[in-house]
C-alpha cells in the first residue's frame, strides 16, 4: 500500500528525533551539532518563563558553531560529572509552514546518578523547526521548554 | 517501496495516540473529546479490579458529551490545581476485529508538582477500540487500566 | 507515496520492539521466547562492565530453550513476587550488516511496587541483532546493558 505524505513526514520527523536522542544517550555528543543547520537556534527555557512571554533561557546557542564549542568544552572540562541520560519523546505533532516543519513533542529525561539509581530528571516539550537540506532533515530551531523547575544538577549537557 | 496494511494501520494508530497525548499535555483539553465518536466509552479502572472481573471505574463517561462536560468543569472549577502531565506510550499492538481496531499499549504519565519536581505519576495500559469515521480514526472506547494503586492526587484530569 | 527501504526497516524494527515489550508487560511471557531464533543470545549486563570490556552478565541465555525454561520457572516458582513492568524505548537506530540488522535503542522500565507506587526501575540500552526468518523478524541477540547499578529487586524477570 502507499503511504500518505502526512504519515511519511511523521516517520521522517520521528527518525530525526531518534537520531537526536541517540546521539546524546549513546555518548556520541559530536554527532549532536550535525543535526542542526549552521544558522540555528538551540535554547533551554523554563515553561514558567515561556508561558509568561518572558524569555530568559538557561542555555542559548544561535549557531552550530556554538553547539560544537559546547561539546568540546564538555569533553575537556572536568568540572561536570557526565550524566547518563536516556531521552524519551511522545505526542509528536508536525505540520508544514512556509516550507519548514513545525514540530512539537513531549520529552522526559531519565538520569542515572553516580550512586547508581535512576530517576526522572526533567520533563517538558520540544518546540522545533526543521528544514530539508541536501544531507536530509535538520533542526533550524530546537526550543527545549521544561516543566521541571527543580532541576537537581547544572544544565550543562544538552537536553 | 510499498508498506503492508498491518504496518500502515500501526502508523495510523500511533498517530491517533500521539494526537491524544498531545491534546492533554499541550493543554488543548478541548481537542480531547474530538478524538472520540459521540457514542463512546471512556473509563479509568484499577488493574486490581479489572483482573478480578470486578469493574468499578474511578471515572466513567459513556458519551462524548460527558467528556466535553468534564473539560468545561475542569476549565471552570478552581478546586483542582492543573497538573503538568506528560504521557508516553509503548508496546502498541493492534488488530482488526469486526471492522474495529482493537489496540493495546502501555502508558506512563510523568507529572510535575507545583514544587517543581517531576515524578512517575501513573503507569498502566490503554485498551482501546477505534473506528474509522469521515473525519478519520476515532476512539469508540478507551479503557485506562492503571497499575499504580497509590495515586497521589485526585483523578480529575484525563489520563 | 512510497517509503524508503530505511524507513520501512525502522517501522519493522519498531514493530518487533513493541511486540517484545507487550509480551512482557501484558503478562504473555510465553510469547517472549518466540521472538528469538533458536540459536540466540540473551544477556543482561551492567554498563560499567560493558564499558570496561569485562563481560559479567547477571543473566545469560544462549538458546531459546533456556528462555523457555526461564519462563516455566518464573511461572512455577513462588519465590518471586511478579513485578508490574512497563517498558518504553526510544532513540531507535538500525542498519544492515552482513545480512543482519544491528539495532540500538534506549529503554526505561517503570515498575509498580506491591505497595501500589510506581517508579523508575531501570534504564539502559538494548543492543540487538535481528534476522529475517520465515515467520518474520526475530532476535538473534539481545544484549540488555543497564545504567542503573542500584537495582532494587532480583533480576529474575526479563527486561
Amino acid at each position: 500500500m502507499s503511504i500518505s505524505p502526512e504519515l511519511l513526514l511523521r516517520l521522517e520527523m520521528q527518525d530525526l528525533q531518534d537520531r537526536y536522542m541517540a546521539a546524546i544517550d549513546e555518548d556520541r555528543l559530536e554527532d549532536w551539532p550535525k543535526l542542526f543547520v549552521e544558522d540555528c537556534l538551540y535554547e533551554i527555557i523554563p515553561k514558567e518563563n515561556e508561558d509568561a512571554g518572558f524569555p530568559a533561557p538557561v542555555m542559548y546557542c544561535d549557531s552550530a558553531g556554538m553547539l560544537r564549542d559546547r561539546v568540546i568544552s564538555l569533553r575537556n572540562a572536568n568540572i561536570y560529572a557526565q550524566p547518563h541520560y536516556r531521552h524519551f519523546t511522545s505526542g509528536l505533532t508536525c505540520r508544514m509552514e512556509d516550507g519548514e516543519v513545525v514540530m512539537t513533542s513531549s520529552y522526559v529525561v531519565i538520569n542515572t546518578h553516580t550512586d547508581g539509581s535512576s530517576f526522572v530528571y526533567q520533563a517538558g516539550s520540544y518546540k522545533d523547526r526543521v528544514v530539508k537540506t541536501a544531507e536530509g532533515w535538520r533542526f533550524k530551531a530546537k526550543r527545549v521548554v521544561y516543566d521541571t523547575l527543580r532541576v537537581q544538577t547544572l544544565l550543562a549537557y544538552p537536553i
Side-chain angles (χ1 to χ4, degrees), chain A:
Chain A
M1 300 182 80
S2 71
I3 186 171
S4 71
E6 290 78 17
L7 283 178
L8 187 60
L9 182 66
R10 265 183 67 85
L11 262 184
E12 292 176 343
M13 291 302 108
Q14 188 62 60
D15 180 54
L16 180 67
Q17 295 283 38
D18 278 338
R19 286 172 195 271
Y20 180 94
M21 294 187 279
I24 302 171
D25 295 354
E26 297 295 323
D27 195 23
R28 293 184 282 100
L29 281 184
E30 287 72 13
D31 291 340
W32 173 61
K34 295 176 191 166
L35 297 168
F36 290 80
V37 294
E38 280 302 315
D39 180 21
C40 68
L41 169 72
Y42 176 79
E43 61 176 0
I44 306 181
I45 183 169
K47 185 172 188 297
E48 265 189 345
N49 290 9
E50 172 83 355
D51 288 350
F54 178 65
V58 297
M59 191 190 295
Y60 179 88
C61 299
D62 64 3
S63 71
M66 282 181 76
L67 300 179
R68 287 190 293 268
D69 283 352
R70 177 157 283 270
V71 172
I72 290 169
S73 69
L74 286 170
R75 289 297 192 202
N76 290 296
N78 286 317
I79 50 169
Y80 308 117
Q82 189 179 344
H84 290 100
Y85 285 169
R86 297 289 167 190
H87 287 68
F88 300 86
T89 52
S90 72
L92 189 154
T93 59
C94 58
R95 61 188 163 79
M96 296 299 300
E97 190 181 289
D98 303 330
E100 299 177 7
V101 184
V102 179
M103 170 161 60
T104 305
S105 36
S106 289
Y107 72 84
V108 64
V109 180
I110 305 294
N111 191 14
T112 299
H113 259 311
T114 47
D115 75 0
S117 64
S118 299
F119 61 101
V120 176
Y121 174 66
Q122 192 184 101
S125 72
Y126 287 139
K127 297 177 184 298
D128 304 328
R129 287 195 161 253
V130 176
V131 290
K132 197 161 216 170
T133 73
E135 290 81 36
W137 294 104
R138 293 293 180 270
F139 292 106
K140 185 178 168 188
K142 191 165 193 86
R143 304 182 62 241
V144 181
V145 182
Y146 62 96
D147 304 336
T148 314
L149 297 180
R150 194 187 273 184
V151 173
Q152 296 95 339
T153 55
L154 200 56
L155 264 169
Y157 276 79
I159 295 292

